[in-house]
Amino acid sequence: MDARASVLIIDNDPDVLFSMRAMFEAEDFSVMLAVDGSSALQRIGACRPDVGILEVGMPVLDGWVVLAELAGLGGCPLRSGLASAGEEAVRPGQDGE
């Protein structure tokens, strides 16, 4: 069994996935990748990563839906998580208007 801390990186941009994977592997993390929210939920359920990095503006299931699904599980199985967002990922009604 791998005793290293595990991180799940969830992003639909391959450049982001692979650059972040390289950074975390250099710090001796066990790294898992997911290209959309659906595959992220499957990996979270199967692997229970220690940390997740979540892009909220993705196709298929976006990051907001993933967060809502995790909340519906009675608590997020991740110990901590981060969400990144550009302008396009701002929720309706959340932009100060």
Side-chain angles (χ1 to χ4, degrees):
M1 183 170 198
D2 195 346
R4 298 180 296 165
S6 60
V7 60
L8 174 60
I9 303 166
I10 309 155
D11 200 300
N12 62 305
D13 183 336
D15 292 334
V16 171
L17 286 175
F18 298 122
S19 62
M20 292 187 79
R21 178 176 68 181
M23 285 186 337
F24 279 97
E25 285 178 343
E27 296 298 324
D28 204 32
F29 278 81
S30 172
V31 178
M32 296 167 279
L33 305 176
V35 297
D36 59 45
S38 179
S39 61
L41 289 172
Q42 291 173 352
R43 289 189 184 271
I44 290 167
C47 301
R48 303 285 195 186
D50 296 306
V51 177
I53 298 177
L54 173 62
E55 166 63 50
V56 295
M58 296 181 295
V60 185
L61 290 179
D62 68 24
W64 300 116
V65 173
V66 172
L67 290 172
E69 289 286 328
L70 291 174
L73 293 174
C76 179
L78 302 179
R79 291 192 196 137
S80 62
L82 305 171
S84 61
E87 274 184 48
E88 72 282 354
V90 174
R91 285 178 146 183
Q94 299 287 320
D95 60 2
E97 292 182 11

